[in-house]
Amino acid sequence: MKTERLHLSLRFEARNSTKLMQKKFIKAFSVLLCFLFAPMLFPTQTHCEVLWEKELHTNKFIQLTSFNLFTEKFYECNGYYYILYFGKDSTTAVKSYGKWEGNEYPALLKFDMNGNTIYQNEKVIPKIDSLKEAEVTLSQEIRGFKYNDNVLTFDIPQSAGTQRTPNIYNFSTTDGSILGIAGTIASAYQWLTTLKSFFIENDLFVLAGGLFDQTQSRIDVHNQIANEYEETLKYRITLEMNSFIDSLREDSYAMDFLMVNDHSFIVTFPGKDKKTIIAKYSYDKEEASKLPNAGIITADLDWYKIYKPKADRGFKQFQLLDNGNLLMHHGNGSLVVLDKNSEVIFNKVILDDSYKNYTIDNVMSLKYHSGYFALWGYYIENSERNFAVIITDSDWNVVDAIQWDYNEKSNSVTDVKEKENGNLIVYGNSLYKEINESGTNFLYIPYYAEIKTNYVGVNEPIADEGFTVSPQPANDFITIALKPSEGFEPSEGSKITIYNTLSEKVMTVEQTFLSVQRINISALPKGIYFVKFGNLTSKFVKF
C-alpha cells in the first residue's frame, strides 16, 4: 500500500514537474517572440516625419565647394519660396580629368509651400562690363537679399583674386526674369574682401575685412545701386580694435556681423588660442549720412568679450534671441549664449555621444513654437551622409532628431524655414558620385522637403492619465480635467500654474473644485505652455 502511494506520489510530482517545465518553456518562448516581433507589433514612434520630398532635376547641376554648399539658402516672400543656386550649364560643360569644366551661372527657382514648382529660370546672367575690364569673374556666392514691389534683390559678389565686390541683381517674382544688374567699382575694395552683406530698407550693409598684413575691418553702407558705373558707397564705418588688438589672431579681420538697430551692430573676430572675440559698436547715423560719398566715420566700441567655446571649432553664426540674449554657434552643436551685459551664461556642446554621427552646420530659433530651436546639417553613417534635423528646447536639451536619406545619396540640409503650422521646409543637396577611369566626379542636385515635427520633449514630465488639457491646440480657453490618482490627492484651494517654455510663470489660477476647470488663455501669446498642478504636469499649444 505504501509502495503504491509512493509510486502515485512520484507520478504526480513528475506530472507537475513536466507541466512546470512546459509553462516555463511557453513563458520563455513567449518572451522570445515578444522580443523578436515587438518592433513590428509596437513600432517606434517618430516625432519627426518627412511629409513630402522632391529633387530638382534641371538643365544645370551644382558643383560647389563645401564652403559654398553650406551657405546656400532659400527665401520666403508672400507665401512662396525662392531658391537662387549656382550650377553648370549641362549643354556646354565638359568633363576634364574626371571633373566637370564650365562656367557657373545663377538659376532661380520659385515653388509654393507644398513644393510645387511655379517656374524655374536658368537664363545665363551676363557679367558687368566695367568689372570684366578689371578681370573680375562671377563668384558662386549668394549674400544680401531684399524683397520689394515684386522684385527680388540679391547681392551676388564678383571676385578678382582675394577681392569680392558687391553686385546687385534684380529679378522679377512673376517670371524670374532679370530686371537689372548693377555693381560697385572694384577699386573700392582694393586689398580687402567683403565677407557678408544684407539690406536694411534701401541701404546695403557690407562687412569688409583687411587681408595679408593689415588688420583693418570696416562696414560699408551703400545706397540702392542705380547703375553699374556709379560709385555707390554712402559711407564707411571703421572699427576700433585697439582695445583687443593683442588678442586678435595674426592677419585676421572681422568674420561676421549683425545689426542690433539702425545705429549699433555686433561683430565677431577670430582670437588667439582658438578663442572668439565678440564686440558691440555704435555710431552716429545722422553724422554719417552728412559725409560725402565714401566718407569715413569711426564706430565707438561699447563693449567686447573674449571667450573660448567648449569645442575647438570655428565660428559659424550668431543671432539675437527674443529675450535679448545673443546666441553664438561654433559648429556641430557647440553653443554659447551671452546676456545683454555680454556675460557668458551658457557654453556647452549640446550633442552627447548618442549624437556623435550628427554634424550640425546651422541653428535657428523657431518663430511659431517659442522656446524651441532647429539645428541642421547631415548625419554620417557608413561613410555616407544623410539629411539631418535636430530640435531642442529652450534649455538646449535635444527633444527630437531625424535623419533620412534620399535615393541612397550623400545628402545634407543647407537651410530651413518654419511654416505657420510649425512644420519645417528644408532645402539641401543630394550628392551624386560619378566614378570613371579619370577619377570621381561630384554633382549636387537641389533637394527640398517638408518635415512634420511634434515638439515632444523626451525630458518633459509626463502627466497622470487623469490630468488632461484640451483642446489641442487651444485658442481662447483650455479645459483641465482632474482625477485624483495614487500618490496625489488635490485639495480644495490648490493652485494651477501655467509656465512658458522659458520656465517663466505666466498665469496662476485658484482651483475651486476637484473635477474640471475652464481657464481663459486669450491674453497669452501663441506658443507652447506647461500646466502644473501639485506634482502633475501637462502641456498645451496655443494658436
Side-chain angles (χ1 to χ4, degrees):
M1 194 69 163
K2 289 182 178 180
T3 303
E4 292 178 356
R5 287 179 180 177
L6 179 60
H7 288 168
L8 287 173
S9 176
L10 289 175
R11 285 197 297 270
F12 180 78
E13 288 180 7
R15 192 180 300 116
N16 284 346
S17 177
T18 302
K19 289 183 177 179
L20 183 62
M21 291 294 294
Q22 289 174 344
K23 287 182 179 180
K24 288 183 177 181
F25 176 79
I26 293 173
K27 184 176 181 181
F29 187 71
S30 300
V31 170
L32 178 61
L33 286 177
C34 289
F35 177 80
L36 293 174
F37 296 104
M40 290 181 285
L41 297 173
F42 307 100
T44 302
Q45 182 180 4
T46 302
H47 298 144
C48 294
E49 61 176 312
V50 180
L51 297 182
W52 55 260
E53 56 184 342
K54 297 183 180 182
E55 195 175 57
L56 179 65
H57 288 274
T58 70
N59 293 328
K60 295 181 184 295
F61 51 84
I62 298 175
Q63 184 180 356
L64 299 178
T65 64
S66 59
F67 172 79
N68 295 113
L69 175 64
F70 295 124
T71 57
E72 275 203 36
K73 298 180 180 298
F74 68 109
Y75 306 87
E76 179 183 358
C77 298
N78 291 347
Y80 293 98
Y81 296 111
Y82 298 86
I83 297 174
L84 184 62
Y85 65 94
F86 284 92
K88 293 182 184 294
D89 189 343
S90 60
T91 61
T92 59
V94 295
K95 277 187 180 179
S96 176
Y97 298 102
K99 300 291 183 182
W100 285 98
E101 298 292 340
N103 292 327
E104 289 85 11
Y105 299 107
L108 184 65
L109 166 71
K110 178 180 180 179
F111 64 98
D112 63 21
M113 290 195 173
N114 295 315
N116 300 309
T117 300
I118 307 301
Y119 65 71
Q120 181 183 334
N121 183 348
E122 294 186 340
K123 295 179 180 178
V124 173
I125 297 180
K127 299 181 179 69
I128 300 173
D129 291 338
S130 61
L131 295 177
K132 283 172 61 178
E133 295 172 2
E135 297 182 353
V136 175
T137 58
L138 187 68
S139 75
Q140 296 175 331
E141 191 175 357
I142 302 168
R143 302 192 307 194
F145 164 79
K146 184 180 69 169
Y147 166 76
N148 187 34
D149 296 332
N150 296 321
V151 176
L152 300 175
T153 302
F154 291 90
D155 173 18
I156 305 176
Q158 293 185 326
S159 60
T162 56
Q163 296 172 216
R164 287 200 295 273
T165 306
N167 293 278
I168 304 303
Y169 293 75
N170 293 323
F171 297 85
S172 166
T173 60
T174 304
D175 58 7
S177 61
I178 301 170
L179 301 178
I181 306 171
T184 60
I185 294 176
S187 60
Y189 294 100
Q190 188 174 7
W191 305 112
L192 291 171
T193 184
T194 60
L195 304 173
K196 183 179 180 179
S197 68
F198 56 79
F199 283 94
I200 298 180
E201 296 180 349
N202 284 328
D203 286 337
L204 176 69
F205 286 76
V206 180
L207 176 65
L211 296 176
F212 307 115
D213 294 330
Q214 303 183 37
T215 55
Q216 65 168 319
S217 290
R218 71 175 193 239
I219 292 176
D220 298 340
V221 181
H222 300 254
N223 280 321
Q224 177 67 43
I225 298 172
N227 61 66
E228 64 180 278
Y229 303 109
E230 181 182 354
E231 170 58 70
T232 59
L233 280 179
K234 195 172 182 179
Y235 53 84
R236 297 173 176 176
I237 308 169
T238 60
L239 310 182
E240 187 273 295
M241 297 182 289
N242 290 331
S243 300
F244 51 83
I245 194 73
D246 293 335
S247 300
L248 282 172
R249 198 173 65 205
E250 293 181 4
D251 301 332
S252 64
Y253 44 88
M255 297 184 296
D256 200 359
F257 81 119
L258 61 81
M259 300 297 293
V260 178
N261 48 50
D262 63 354
H263 62 271
S264 63
F265 47 88
I266 296 175
V267 185
T268 58
F269 303 86
K272 295 178 180 178
D273 301 323
K274 297 182 179 180
K275 293 181 179 178
T276 297
I277 302 173
I278 177 95
K280 182 181 179 184
Y281 291 92
S282 60
Y283 71 102
D284 191 326
K285 183 180 178 182
E286 184 176 350
E287 287 298 317
S289 63
K290 296 177 182 179
L291 295 172
N293 282 352
I296 299 175
I297 190 171
T298 302
D300 296 321
L301 179 63
D302 295 339
W303 53 255
Y304 72 92
K305 187 78 175 181
I306 302 175
Y307 67 87
K308 188 172 183 177
K310 289 297 182 180
D312 291 335
R313 296 182 177 272
F315 170 82
K316 285 281 189 178
Q317 50 144 176
F318 58 175
Q319 60 180 279
L320 282 172
L321 303 179
D322 292 339
N323 58 8
N325 291 341
L326 185 67
L327 170 63
M328 313 282 290
H329 178 219
H330 293 270
N332 216 32
S334 176
L335 303 179
V336 176
V337 179
L338 286 75
D339 65 15
K340 298 177 183 178
N341 299 316
S342 74
E343 295 300 321
V344 176
I345 58 177
F346 186 89
N347 188 355
K348 186 179 179 182
V349 179
I350 66 171
L351 302 182
D352 57 24
D353 289 342
S354 59
Y355 297 95
K356 61 184 179 181
N357 289 349
Y358 287 84
T359 297
I360 301 302
D361 294 304
N362 221 327
V363 57
M364 75 171 184
S365 54
L366 298 179
K367 177 180 178 182
Y368 297 104
H369 287 82
S370 176
Y372 284 82
F373 296 84
L375 300 89
W376 62 88
Y378 54 92
Y379 176 91
I380 301 178
E381 186 174 24
N382 299 325
S383 75
E384 294 295 328
R385 286 204 317 251
N386 293 334
F387 297 112
V389 174
I390 290 176
I391 306 296
T392 74
D393 60 18
S394 58
D395 295 322
W396 304 109
N397 300 304
V398 176
V399 298
D400 223 342
I402 180 174
Q403 59 87 12
W404 71 104
D405 63 9
Y406 184 79
N407 290 339
E408 298 181 347
K409 303 302 177 185
S410 189
N411 310 309
S412 60
V413 176
T414 60
D415 198 14
V416 170
K417 294 289 186 294
E418 185 187 16
K419 296 178 69 172
E420 289 190 11
N421 62 3
N423 291 346
L424 301 179
I425 301 293
V426 302
Y427 169 61
N429 289 300
S430 300
L431 174 59
Y432 287 75
K433 297 180 182 179
E434 294 184 354
I435 302 176
N436 52 44
E437 66 280 358
S438 301
T440 302
N441 185 44
F442 298 95
L443 303 178
Y444 293 99
I445 304 298
Y447 165 97
Y448 45 105
E450 181 173 352
I451 307 297
K452 181 180 179 182
T453 54
N454 292 333
Y455 304 90
V456 177
V458 296
N459 63 329
E460 292 171 4
I462 302 174
D464 185 270
E465 292 182 356
F467 181 52
T468 60
V469 180
S470 61
Q472 294 281 8
N475 191 358
D476 294 328
F477 291 87
I478 58 171
T479 298
I480 299 177
L482 298 170
K483 293 180 181 179
S485 60
E486 184 178 355
F488 177 76
E489 289 291 338
S491 59
E492 193 77 9
S494 298
K495 291 182 178 180
I496 295 174
T497 309
I498 299 178
Y499 297 86
N500 61 20
T501 53
L502 298 177
S503 299
E504 298 170 338
K505 188 186 298 183
V506 296
M507 184 181 295
T508 301
V509 180
E510 295 289 342
Q511 168 67 15
T512 56
F513 53 93
L514 302 180
S515 55
V516 176
Q517 181 84 34
R518 192 166 186 258
I519 300 175
N520 188 336
I521 60 167
S522 59
L524 295 179
K526 295 178 180 179
I528 296 177
Y529 295 89
F530 298 93
V531 182
K532 199 168 182 61
F533 186 70
N535 61 352
L536 300 181
T537 304
S538 188
K539 73 175 183 179
F540 68 93
V541 178
K542 182 188 174 182
F543 274 81

